[in-house]
Amino acid sequence: MDIIFLIAAIVSFVNVVYAFITKRIFFVGRFIDYYENKSHFFAGLFVSILFIFFYGGFYFFIFPTVR
């Protein structure tokens, strides 16, 4: 299960970096251009940042695996 959350955090991080570089983000199954629809672009950016925080932050730092 750890690897799934790690993959999700990495994919979200790559999506955010790609969005800052190209002004396009992958959201809801397609790429959304900043100039095409700003509200959907920022919604996708916000969700991707939240995925990084929840998947990466909560799972790996706040709730580490207890053995």
Side-chain angles (χ1 to χ4, degrees):
M1 195 68 170
D2 298 354
I3 195 73
I4 293 172
F5 285 100
L6 178 63
I7 291 169
I10 290 170
V11 168
S12 295
F13 179 75
V14 169
N15 196 18
V16 169
V17 170
Y18 182 78
F20 283 127
I21 293 172
T22 63
K23 300 263 189 192
R24 294 178 64 198
I25 194 161
F26 188 75
F27 183 57
V28 193
R30 66 183 184 102
F31 283 99
I32 297 174
D33 192 57
Y34 172 79
Y35 302 106
E36 174 188 333
N37 196 337
K38 290 181 183 177
S39 64
H40 288 161
F41 174 82
F42 283 115
L45 185 64
F46 183 70
V47 166
S48 293
I49 291 171
L50 283 179
F51 281 167
I52 293 170
F53 176 73
F54 285 120
Y55 288 147
F58 272 126
Y59 197 78
F60 291 108
F61 298 112
I62 296 174
F63 302 118
T65 305
V66 178
R67 295 181 192 254

